[in-house]
């Protein structure tokens, strides 16, 4: 997502969590994310569309907090993810679609609180 190359700071993030029936620990159910983006993804501050574009929740986009939020999260909005060359390692689009629906539901709840 952010292009960080320091492997010790990268995590394997599940698209569908272990608790989900299809939340298997396989490559296609994962994204390689830095630790901050992994946490943001797990908390649904950032979602990933099935076309592998990152989306930052609108309440996060509308927050003013300093450089880490500005450059670390908000700058990821509408960013195309880099995917592996091997087709067998590309994230599963069906899993991404299901997870992105969850993200959109949380997005709706967060925006309705602001009204």
């Amino acid at each position: 997502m952010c292009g960080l190359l320091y492997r010790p700071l990268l995590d394997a993030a599940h698209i569908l969590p272990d608790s989900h029936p299809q939340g298997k620990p396989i490559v296609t159910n994962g994204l390689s994310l830095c630790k901050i983006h992994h946490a943001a993804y797990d908390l649904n501050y950032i979602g990933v569309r099935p076309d592998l574009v990152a989306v930052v929740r609108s309440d996060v986009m509308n927050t003013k907090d300093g450089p880490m939020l500005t450059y670390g999260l908000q700058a990821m909005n509408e960013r195309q993810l880099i995917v592996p060359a091997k087709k067998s390692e590309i994230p599963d689009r069906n899993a991404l679609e299901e997870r992105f629906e969850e993200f959109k539901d949380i997005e709706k709840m967060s925006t309705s609180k602001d009204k």
Side-chain angles (χ1 to χ4, degrees):
M1 183 177 296
C2 66
L4 186 68
L5 299 177
Y6 294 92
R7 287 182 183 241
L9 297 175
L10 298 176
D11 285 338
H14 287 91
I15 298 168
L16 298 174
D18 288 332
S19 59
H20 189 283
Q22 276 80 48
K24 297 177 176 62
I26 57 175
V27 172
T28 56
N29 185 40
L31 298 169
S32 177
L33 302 175
C34 75
K35 293 182 180 295
I36 192 163
H37 294 128
H38 185 176
Y41 183 72
D42 284 352
L43 295 167
N44 287 303
Y45 293 133
I46 295 177
V48 176
R49 296 189 324 225
D51 62 354
L52 296 162
V53 172
V55 178
V56 179
R57 247 177 36 201
S58 58
D59 61 320
V60 175
M61 289 299 294
N62 294 327
T63 300
K64 304 247 185 279
D65 187 50
M68 190 59 212
L69 183 67
T70 301
Y71 300 109
L73 293 181
Q74 293 167 336
M76 297 302 111
N77 194 44
E78 298 297 323
R79 180 170 284 196
Q80 181 73 47
L81 273 64
I82 299 165
V83 296
K86 290 183 182 178
K87 286 187 179 185
S88 63
E89 295 178 355
I90 294 175
D92 180 271
R93 291 184 192 258
N94 292 327
L96 286 168
E97 185 173 350
E98 184 172 340
R99 177 67 188 268
F100 194 67
E101 289 300 318
E102 176 186 322
F103 171 82
K104 290 191 309 188
D105 290 343
I106 291 170
E107 166 81 8
K108 285 178 195 171
M109 290 188 317
S110 70
T111 55
S112 68
K113 287 181 194 176
D114 296 338
K115 294 179 181 181

